[in-house]
Structures are given as C-alpha cells and as structure tokens.
Coordinates of all heavy atoms in Angstrom, one line a residue:
L1 N 62.4 152.1 163.2 CA 63.5 151.2 162.7 C 63.1 150.7 161.4 O 62.2 149.9 161.4 CB 63.9 150.2 163.7 CG 65.1 149.3 163.4 CD1 66.3 150.1 163.2 CD2 65.3 148.3 164.4
K2 N 63.9 150.9 160.3 CA 63.6 150.2 159.0 C 64.7 149.2 158.8 O 65.9 149.6 158.8 CB 63.4 151.2 158.1 CG 63.3 150.7 156.6 CD 63.1 151.8 155.5 CE 62.9 151.1 154.2 NZ 62.8 152.0 153.1
E3 N 64.3 148.0 158.4 CA 65.4 147.0 158.1 C 65.5 146.8 156.6 O 64.3 146.7 156.1 CB 65.2 145.8 158.8 CG 65.5 146.0 160.5 CD 65.3 144.7 161.1 OE1 65.7 143.6 160.6 OE2 64.8 144.6 162.3
N4 N 66.5 146.6 156.1 CA 66.6 146.4 154.5 C 67.5 145.0 154.5 O 68.7 145.0 154.6 CB 67.3 147.5 153.8 CG 67.4 147.2 152.3 OD1 66.8 146.2 151.9 ND2 68.0 148.0 151.5
K5 N 66.7 144.0 154.4 CA 67.5 142.7 154.4 C 67.3 142.0 153.0 O 66.8 140.9 152.9 CB 67.0 141.7 155.5 CG 67.2 142.3 156.9 CD 68.6 142.4 157.1 CE 68.9 142.9 158.6 NZ 70.1 143.1 158.9
T6 N 67.6 142.7 151.9 CA 67.4 142.2 150.5 C 68.6 141.6 150.0 O 68.6 140.9 149.0 CB 66.8 143.2 149.6 OG1 67.7 144.4 149.6 CG2 65.5 143.6 150.1
T7 N 69.9 141.9 150.6 CA 70.9 141.4 150.0 C 71.9 140.9 151.2 O 72.0 141.6 152.2 CB 71.8 142.3 149.1 OG1 72.2 143.3 149.9 CG2 71.0 142.7 147.9
V8 N 72.9 139.9 150.9 CA 74.0 139.6 151.8 C 75.1 140.5 151.5 O 75.5 140.6 150.3 CB 74.2 138.2 151.7 CG1 75.5 137.8 152.4 CG2 73.1 137.3 152.0
R9 N 75.7 141.2 152.5 CA 76.8 142.1 152.2 C 78.1 141.3 152.1 O 78.3 140.2 152.3 CB 77.0 143.1 153.4 CG 75.5 143.9 153.3 CD 75.7 144.9 154.6 NE 74.5 145.7 154.5 CZ 73.3 145.4 155.1 NH1 73.2 144.1 155.6 NH2 72.3 146.1 155.1
E10 N 79.1 142.0 151.6 CA 80.4 141.5 151.4 C 80.8 140.8 152.7 O 80.7 141.3 153.8 CB 81.4 142.5 150.9 CG 81.0 143.3 149.6 CD 81.4 142.4 148.4 OE1 82.5 141.6 148.6 OE2 80.7 142.4 147.4
C11 N 81.8 139.9 152.6 CA 82.3 139.1 153.6 C 83.8 138.9 153.3 O 84.1 138.5 152.3 CB 81.5 137.9 154.0 SG 82.3 137.0 155.4
D12 N 84.7 139.0 154.3 CA 86.1 138.7 154.2 C 86.4 137.4 154.6 O 86.8 137.2 155.7 CB 86.9 139.7 154.9 CG 88.3 139.7 154.6 OD1 88.8 138.8 153.8 OD2 89.0 140.7 155.1
W13 N 86.3 136.4 153.6 CA 86.6 135.0 154.1 C 88.3 134.8 154.3 O 88.6 133.9 155.0 CB 86.2 134.0 152.9 CG 84.7 133.8 152.9 CD1 83.9 134.4 153.7 CD2 84.0 133.1 151.9 NE1 82.6 133.9 153.4 CE2 82.6 133.1 152.3 CE3 84.3 132.2 150.9 CZ2 81.7 132.3 151.6 CZ3 83.3 131.5 150.1 CH2 82.1 131.6 150.6
D14 N 89.0 135.8 153.7 CA 90.4 135.7 154.2 C 90.5 136.0 155.6 O 91.4 135.3 156.4 CB 91.4 136.8 153.3 CG 91.3 136.4 151.9 OD1 91.6 135.2 151.6 OD2 91.3 137.2 151.0
A15 N 89.8 136.8 156.1 CA 90.0 137.2 157.5 C 89.5 136.1 158.3 O 89.9 135.7 159.5 CB 89.2 138.5 157.9
I16 N 88.5 135.3 157.9 CA 87.9 134.2 158.7 C 88.9 133.1 158.6 O 89.2 132.5 159.6 CB 86.4 133.8 158.0 CG1 85.5 134.8 158.3 CG2 86.2 132.4 158.7 CD1 84.1 134.6 157.6
R17 N 89.5 132.9 157.5 CA 90.6 131.7 157.4 C 91.7 132.2 158.3 O 92.2 131.3 159.0 CB 91.1 131.8 155.9 CG 92.3 131.0 155.7 CD 91.9 129.4 155.9 NE 92.9 128.5 155.7 CZ 93.2 127.8 154.6 NH1 92.5 128.0 153.5 NH2 94.4 127.2 154.5
S18 N 92.1 133.4 158.4 CA 93.1 133.8 159.4 C 92.7 133.4 160.9 O 93.5 133.0 161.6 CB 93.6 135.2 159.2 OG 94.5 135.6 160.2
A19 N 91.5 133.9 161.2 CA 90.9 133.6 162.6 C 90.9 132.1 162.7 O 91.2 131.7 163.9 CB 89.5 134.2 162.6
V20 N 90.5 131.4 161.7 CA 90.4 129.8 162.0 C 91.8 129.3 162.3 O 92.0 128.6 163.3 CB 89.8 129.2 160.7 CG1 90.1 127.6 160.8 CG2 88.4 129.5 160.5
D21 N 92.9 129.8 161.4 CA 94.2 129.3 161.6 C 94.7 129.7 163.1 O 95.3 128.8 163.7 CB 95.1 129.9 160.6 CG 94.7 129.3 159.3 OD1 94.1 128.2 159.0 OD2 95.2 129.9 158.3
T22 N 94.4 130.9 163.3 CA 94.9 131.5 164.7 C 94.3 130.6 165.9 O 94.9 130.3 166.8 CB 94.7 132.8 164.8 OG1 95.3 133.6 163.9 CG2 95.2 133.4 166.2
A23 N 93.0 130.5 165.9 CA 92.2 129.8 166.9 C 92.8 128.4 167.1 O 92.8 127.8 168.1 CB 90.7 129.9 166.6
K24 N 92.8 127.7 165.8 CA 93.3 126.1 165.9 C 94.7 126.2 166.4 O 95.1 125.2 167.0 CB 93.2 125.7 164.5 CG 91.8 125.6 164.0 CD 91.0 124.4 164.3 CE 89.7 124.4 163.6 NZ 88.9 123.2 164.0
S25 N 95.6 127.2 166.1 CA 96.9 127.0 166.6 C 97.1 127.3 168.1 O 98.0 126.8 168.7 CB 97.9 127.9 165.7 OG 97.5 129.2 166.1
Y26 N 96.2 128.1 168.7 CA 96.3 128.4 170.1 C 95.5 127.4 171.0 O 95.7 127.5 172.1 CB 95.9 129.9 170.3 CG 97.0 130.8 169.9 CD1 96.9 131.5 168.7 CD2 97.9 131.1 170.9 CE1 98.0 132.4 168.4 CE2 99.0 132.0 170.5 CZ 99.1 132.6 169.3 OH 100.1 133.5 169.0
S27 N 94.7 126.7 170.4 CA 93.8 125.8 171.2 C 94.6 124.6 171.6 O 95.2 123.9 170.7 CB 92.6 125.5 170.4 OG 91.8 124.5 171.2
A28 N 94.4 124.1 172.8 CA 95.0 122.8 173.2 C 94.1 121.7 172.8 O 94.5 120.4 172.8 CB 95.1 122.9 174.8
N29 N 92.9 122.0 172.4 CA 92.0 120.9 172.0 C 92.0 120.8 170.4 O 91.5 121.7 169.7 CB 90.5 121.3 172.4 CG 89.4 120.3 171.9 OD1 89.7 119.4 171.2 ND2 88.2 120.6 172.5
P30 N 92.4 119.7 169.8 CA 92.4 119.6 168.4 C 91.1 119.6 167.7 O 91.0 119.8 166.5 CB 93.1 118.3 168.1 CG 92.9 117.5 169.4 CD 92.8 118.5 170.5
N31 N 90.1 119.4 168.5 CA 88.6 119.5 168.0 C 88.0 120.9 168.2 O 86.8 120.9 168.2 CB 87.9 118.3 168.5 CG 88.4 117.0 168.1 OD1 88.6 116.8 166.9 ND2 88.5 116.0 169.0
F32 N 88.8 121.9 168.5 CA 88.2 123.2 168.9 C 87.4 123.7 167.6 O 88.0 123.9 166.6 CB 89.3 124.2 169.2 CG 88.9 125.5 169.5 CD1 88.6 125.9 170.8 CD2 88.8 126.6 168.6 CE1 88.2 127.1 171.2 CE2 88.5 127.7 169.0 CZ 88.0 128.0 170.3
P33 N 86.0 123.9 167.8 CA 85.2 124.3 166.6 C 85.3 125.9 166.4 O 85.4 126.6 167.3 CB 83.8 123.9 166.9 CG 83.9 124.0 168.4 CD 85.3 123.6 168.9
V34 N 85.4 126.2 165.2 CA 85.4 127.5 164.7 C 84.2 127.6 163.7 O 84.3 126.8 162.6 CB 86.8 128.0 164.1 CG1 86.8 129.4 163.6 CG2 87.9 127.8 165.0
I35 N 83.4 128.6 163.8 CA 82.3 128.8 162.9 C 82.3 130.0 162.1 O 82.5 131.0 162.7 CB 80.9 128.8 163.8 CG1 80.8 127.5 164.6 CG2 79.7 129.0 162.9 CD1 79.6 127.5 165.6
A36 N 82.3 129.9 160.9 CA 82.3 131.1 160.0 C 81.0 131.8 160.0 O 80.0 131.1 159.9 CB 82.8 130.6 158.6
N37 N 81.1 133.0 159.9 CA 79.7 133.9 160.0 C 79.8 135.0 158.8 O 80.7 135.8 159.0 CB 79.4 134.5 161.2 CG 78.1 135.2 161.2 OD1 77.3 135.0 160.4 ND2 78.0 136.1 162.2
G38 N 79.1 134.8 157.8 CA 79.2 135.7 156.7 C 79.3 135.3 155.3 O 80.0 134.4 155.1
G39 N 78.7 136.0 154.5 CA 78.8 135.5 153.1 C 78.0 134.4 152.6 O 78.4 133.9 151.5
I40 N 77.2 133.9 153.4 CA 76.4 132.7 152.9 C 74.9 133.3 152.4 O 74.2 133.8 153.2 CB 76.1 131.8 154.2 CG1 77.5 131.3 154.8 CG2 75.2 130.5 153.8 CD1 78.4 130.7 153.9
E41 N 74.9 133.1 151.2 CA 73.6 133.6 150.6 C 72.9 132.5 149.8 O 71.7 132.3 149.8 CB 73.9 134.7 149.5 CG 72.6 135.2 149.0 CD 72.8 136.5 148.2 OE1 74.1 136.9 148.0 OE2 71.8 137.2 147.7
Y42 N 73.7 131.5 149.3 CA 73.2 130.4 148.5 C 73.6 129.1 149.1 O 74.8 129.1 149.8 CB 73.6 130.5 147.0 CG 73.2 131.7 146.3 CD1 74.1 132.6 146.0 CD2 71.9 132.0 146.1 CE1 73.8 134.0 145.5 CE2 71.5 133.2 145.4 CZ 72.5 134.1 145.1 OH 72.1 135.3 144.5
S43 N 73.0 128.0 148.9 CA 73.5 126.7 149.4 C 74.8 126.4 149.0 O 75.6 125.8 149.7 CB 72.5 125.6 149.0 OG 72.2 125.5 147.6
S44 N 75.2 126.8 147.7 CA 76.6 126.5 147.3 C 77.6 127.3 148.0 O 78.8 126.9 148.2 CB 76.7 126.9 145.9 OG 76.4 128.1 145.5
D45 N 77.3 128.4 148.7 CA 78.2 129.2 149.4 C 78.6 128.4 150.7 O 79.7 128.6 151.2 CB 77.6 130.4 149.9 CG 77.3 131.4 148.7 OD1 77.9 131.3 147.7 OD2 76.4 132.2 148.9
I46 N 77.9 127.5 151.2 CA 78.2 126.8 152.5 C 79.5 125.9 152.1 O 80.5 126.1 152.9 CB 77.0 125.8 152.9 CG1 75.9 126.6 153.1 CG2 77.3 124.9 154.0 CD1 74.5 125.8 153.3
A47 N 79.5 125.0 151.1 CA 80.7 124.2 150.8 C 81.9 125.2 150.5 O 82.9 124.8 150.8 CB 80.4 123.3 149.7
N48 N 81.7 126.2 149.6 CA 82.7 127.0 149.2 C 83.3 127.7 150.4 O 84.5 127.8 150.6 CB 82.2 128.1 148.2 CG 81.7 127.6 147.0 OD1 82.2 126.5 146.6 ND2 80.9 128.3 146.3
C49 N 82.5 128.2 151.4 CA 83.1 128.9 152.6 C 83.9 127.8 153.5 O 84.8 128.2 153.9 CB 81.9 129.5 153.4 SG 82.5 130.2 155.0
L50 N 83.3 126.7 153.6 CA 83.9 125.7 154.4 C 85.3 125.3 153.8 O 86.4 125.1 154.5 CB 83.2 124.5 154.6 CG 81.9 124.6 155.6 CD1 81.0 123.3 155.6 CD2 82.2 125.0 156.9
E51 N 85.3 125.2 152.6 CA 86.5 124.8 151.9 C 87.5 125.7 152.0 O 88.8 125.6 152.3 CB 86.2 124.4 150.4 CG 87.6 124.1 149.6 CD 87.2 123.5 148.2 OE1 86.1 123.2 147.8 OE2 88.2 123.6 147.4
Y52 N 87.2 127.1 151.7 CA 88.0 128.3 151.7 C 88.6 128.6 153.1 O 89.9 128.9 153.2 CB 87.4 129.5 151.0 CG 88.4 130.5 150.7 CD1 89.1 130.6 149.5 CD2 88.5 131.6 151.6 CE1 90.0 131.6 149.2 CE2 89.4 132.6 151.4 CZ 90.2 132.8 150.3 OH 91.0 133.6 149.9
T53 N 87.7 128.7 154.0 CA 88.2 129.2 155.4 C 88.6 128.1 156.3 O 89.3 128.3 157.3 CB 86.9 129.9 156.0 OG1 85.9 128.9 156.4 CG2 86.3 130.9 155.2
K54 N 88.3 126.8 156.0 CA 88.8 125.6 156.7 C 87.9 125.8 158.2 O 88.3 125.0 159.2 CB 90.2 125.6 157.1 CG 91.1 125.5 155.7 CD 90.7 124.3 154.9 CE 91.5 124.3 153.6 NZ 90.9 123.5 152.6
A55 N 86.8 126.5 158.2 CA 86.0 126.5 159.5 C 85.4 125.2 159.7 O 85.3 124.4 158.6 CB 85.0 127.6 159.3
D56 N 84.9 124.9 160.7 CA 84.1 123.7 161.0 C 82.6 123.7 160.7 O 82.0 122.6 160.5 CB 84.4 123.3 162.4 CG 85.7 123.1 162.8 OD1 86.4 122.1 162.3 OD2 86.3 123.9 163.5
A57 N 82.0 125.0 160.6 CA 80.7 125.0 160.3 C 80.4 126.4 159.8 O 81.5 127.3 159.9 CB 79.9 124.9 161.5
V58 N 79.3 126.8 159.3 CA 78.9 128.2 159.0 C 77.5 128.5 159.6 O 76.8 127.6 160.0 CB 78.8 128.3 157.4 CG1 80.1 128.0 156.8 CG2 77.7 127.5 156.8
M59 N 77.4 129.8 159.7 CA 76.0 130.2 160.1 C 75.7 131.4 159.3 O 76.5 132.1 158.7 CB 76.0 130.6 161.6 CG 77.0 131.7 162.1 SD 76.7 131.9 163.9 CE 78.1 133.0 164.1
S60 N 74.4 131.7 159.3 CA 73.9 132.8 158.4 C 72.6 133.3 159.1 O 71.9 132.7 159.8 CB 73.6 132.3 157.0 OG 73.0 133.2 156.2
S61 N 72.4 134.7 158.9 CA 71.3 135.2 159.3 C 70.6 135.9 158.3 O 69.2 135.7 158.1 CB 71.6 136.1 160.5 OG 72.5 137.2 160.1
E62 N 71.1 136.8 157.6 CA 70.4 137.6 156.6 C 69.8 136.8 155.6 O 68.7 137.1 155.1 CB 71.3 138.8 155.9 CG 71.8 139.8 157.0 CD 72.8 140.8 156.3 OE1 73.0 140.6 155.0 OE2 73.2 141.6 157.0
A63 N 70.5 135.8 155.0 CA 70.0 135.0 153.8 C 68.8 134.1 154.3 O 68.0 133.8 153.6 CB 71.1 134.1 153.3
L64 N 68.9 133.8 155.6 CA 67.8 133.0 156.1 C 66.4 133.6 156.1 O 65.4 133.1 156.1 CB 68.1 132.4 157.5 CG 69.1 131.3 157.5 CD1 69.6 131.0 158.9 CD2 68.6 130.1 156.8
L65 N 66.4 135.0 156.2 CA 65.2 135.8 156.2 C 64.6 135.7 154.8 O 63.3 135.7 154.8 CB 65.5 137.4 156.5 CG 66.1 137.7 158.0 CD1 66.4 139.0 158.0 CD2 65.1 137.2 159.0
E66 N 65.3 135.6 153.9 CA 64.6 135.4 152.4 C 64.7 133.9 152.0 O 63.7 133.6 151.2 CB 65.6 136.2 151.4 CG 65.5 137.6 151.5 CD 66.3 138.3 150.5 OE1 66.4 137.7 149.4 OE2 66.7 139.5 150.8
N67 N 65.3 133.2 152.7 CA 65.3 131.6 152.2 C 65.6 130.8 153.5 O 66.6 130.4 153.8 CB 66.4 131.4 151.1 CG 66.5 129.8 150.8 OD1 65.7 129.1 151.1 ND2 67.6 129.6 150.0
P68 N 64.4 130.5 154.1 CA 64.5 129.8 155.5 C 65.0 128.3 155.1 O 65.5 127.7 156.1 CB 63.0 129.7 155.8 CG 62.4 130.9 155.3 CD 63.0 131.0 153.9
G69 N 64.9 127.9 154.0 CA 65.3 126.5 153.7 C 66.9 126.4 153.0 O 67.3 125.3 152.7
L70 N 67.6 127.4 153.5 CA 69.1 127.5 153.1 C 69.9 126.3 153.3 O 70.7 125.8 152.6 CB 69.7 128.9 153.6 CG 71.0 129.1 153.1 CD1 71.3 129.4 151.7 CD2 71.7 130.3 153.9
F71 N 69.7 125.9 154.6 CA 70.6 124.7 155.2 C 69.9 123.4 154.9 O 70.3 122.4 155.5 CB 70.9 125.0 156.6 CG 71.9 126.1 156.8 CD1 71.4 127.3 157.3 CD2 73.1 125.9 156.4 CE1 72.3 128.4 157.4 CE2 74.0 127.0 156.6 CZ 73.7 128.2 157.1
A72 N 68.6 123.3 154.2 CA 68.0 122.1 154.0 C 68.9 121.1 153.1 O 69.7 121.8 152.4 CB 66.7 122.4 153.3
P73 N 68.8 119.9 153.3 CA 69.7 118.8 152.7 C 69.7 119.2 151.1 O 70.8 118.9 150.5 CB 69.1 117.5 153.0 CG 68.4 117.7 154.3 CD 67.9 119.1 154.2
H74 N 68.6 119.4 150.6 CA 68.6 119.6 149.1 C 68.1 121.0 148.8 O 67.2 121.1 147.8 CB 67.7 118.6 148.4 CG 68.1 117.1 148.6 ND1 69.2 116.7 148.1 CD2 67.7 116.2 149.5 CE1 69.4 115.4 148.6 NE2 68.5 115.1 149.4
A75 N 68.7 121.9 149.3 CA 68.2 123.3 149.1 C 68.4 123.8 147.6 O 69.5 123.4 147.0 CB 69.0 124.3 150.1
R76 N 67.5 124.5 147.1 CA 67.8 125.0 145.8 C 68.8 126.1 145.8 O 68.8 127.0 146.6 CB 66.4 125.6 145.2 CG 66.6 126.0 143.7 CD 65.2 126.3 143.3 NE 65.0 127.8 143.2 CZ 64.0 128.4 143.0 NH1 62.9 127.8 143.0 NH2 64.0 129.8 142.7
D77 N 69.9 126.1 144.8 CA 70.8 127.1 144.6 C 70.4 128.1 143.7 O 70.3 127.7 142.5 CB 72.1 126.4 144.3 CG 73.3 127.4 144.7 OD1 73.4 128.4 143.9 OD2 74.0 127.3 145.5
D78 N 70.1 129.3 144.0 CA 69.5 130.4 143.1 C 70.6 131.3 142.4 O 70.3 132.2 141.7 CB 68.6 131.3 143.8 CG 67.3 130.6 144.4 OD1 66.9 129.7 143.7 OD2 66.6 131.1 145.3
T79 N 71.9 130.7 142.5 CA 72.9 131.5 141.8 C 72.6 131.7 140.3 O 73.0 132.6 139.8 CB 74.3 130.9 141.9 OG1 74.2 129.5 141.5 CG2 74.8 130.9 143.5
Q80 N 72.1 130.7 139.7 CA 71.9 130.9 138.2 C 70.7 131.9 137.9 O 70.8 132.4 136.9 CB 71.5 129.4 137.7 CG 72.7 128.4 137.6 CD 73.9 128.9 136.9 OE1 73.7 129.6 135.8 NE2 75.1 128.9 137.6
L81 N 69.9 131.9 138.8 CA 68.7 132.7 138.6 C 69.1 134.2 138.8 O 68.5 135.1 138.2 CB 67.5 132.4 139.6 CG 66.8 131.1 139.5 CD1 65.9 130.9 140.6 CD2 66.3 130.9 138.2
T82 N 70.2 134.5 139.4 CA 70.6 135.9 139.8 C 71.5 136.4 138.8 O 71.9 137.5 138.8 CB 71.0 136.1 141.2 OG1 72.0 135.2 141.4 CG2 69.8 135.9 142.2
K83 N 72.2 135.6 138.0 CA 73.4 136.0 137.1 C 73.0 137.2 136.3 O 73.7 138.0 136.0 CB 73.7 134.8 136.2 CG 74.4 133.7 137.1 CD 75.8 133.7 137.1 CE 76.3 132.5 137.6 NZ 77.3 132.6 138.6
G84 N 71.6 137.3 135.8 CA 71.3 138.3 134.9 C 70.8 139.6 135.6 O 70.4 140.6 135.1
N85 N 70.9 139.5 136.9 CA 70.5 140.6 137.8 C 71.5 141.4 138.3 O 71.4 142.0 139.5 CB 69.6 140.1 138.9 CG 68.3 139.6 138.5 OD1 67.8 140.0 137.3 ND2 67.7 138.6 139.2
G86 N 72.6 141.6 137.6 CA 73.8 142.3 138.1 C 74.8 141.8 139.1 O 75.6 142.4 139.8
R87 N 74.6 140.6 139.5 CA 75.4 139.9 140.4 C 76.6 139.4 139.7 O 76.6 138.9 138.7 CB 74.6 138.8 141.1 CG 73.7 139.4 142.1 CD 73.2 138.2 143.1 NE 74.3 137.5 143.5 CZ 74.7 137.7 144.9 NH1 74.2 138.4 145.7 NH2 75.7 137.0 145.3

C-alpha cells in the first residue's frame, strides 16, 4: 500500500454548509454540534471554514500529517509560501 499525502484534496464547503443547516434544523437540541471535515490545509482555513459552513468545529487528517501544529494557537500559516508553487 502506497500512500500519497502531499496535498489536501478539494472539499465542497457548500455541501458541508447544507449538512450543517439540515442537521441544526432537525435537531431538538439547539447546541447540537456539527463538525466540518475537509479542506483544512492551513491555519487560516480553520476560521474560513467555520465562517463559511457555520459548523461548530473542524477536523483534519491529511494536513496534520505534514503539519502536526496545524491547530496550535499561533500556528504558522503557509499560504504565502505556496503562492508561487501553482496553488
């Protein structure tokens, strides 16, 4: 088995937003938590995802393999470093 974990793949935050809206509308608990999964590569993606999807939290797996400090309070955001690399 060969694993290639060098990039985070595309994620449909619109679908996550729809799932959040649906879950919240059907839950009898107003504090029902919904966690977004996908599209988190940089620390700035965390706030962007939460704002866009209205999820209560995010999780990530692929990006954590390359950056274990992704969720650290003052994590470095590498978006500026990758702008010249075709991203």
Side-chain angles (χ1 to χ4, degrees):
L1 176 67
K2 181 180 179 184
E3 293 186 33
N4 181 7
K5 300 294 182 187
T6 58
T7 61
V8 173
R9 291 178 183 83
E10 297 279 329
C11 181
D12 187 350
W13 284 0
D14 290 322
I16 293 173
R17 173 70 183 259
S18 178
V20 168
D21 291 343
T22 301
K24 300 267 184 187
S25 70
Y26 281 95
S27 175
N29 178 355
N31 297 316
F32 182 82
V34 181
I35 301 169
N37 182 20
I40 306 299
E41 185 171 6
Y42 305 108
S43 59
S44 60
D45 292 334
I46 297 167
N48 293 337
C49 178
L50 291 173
E51 181 180 341
Y52 188 85
T53 66
K54 305 303 181 198
D56 299 292
V58 298
M59 62 181 166
S60 177
S61 59
E62 290 180 9
L64 287 171
L65 295 174
E66 292 185 27
N67 181 6
L70 180 65
F71 292 107
H74 301 289
R76 188 172 108 191
D77 193 290
D78 288 338
T79 55
Q80 294 303 315
L81 296 176
T82 59
K83 296 260 187 223
N85 294 332
R87 281 192 55 104

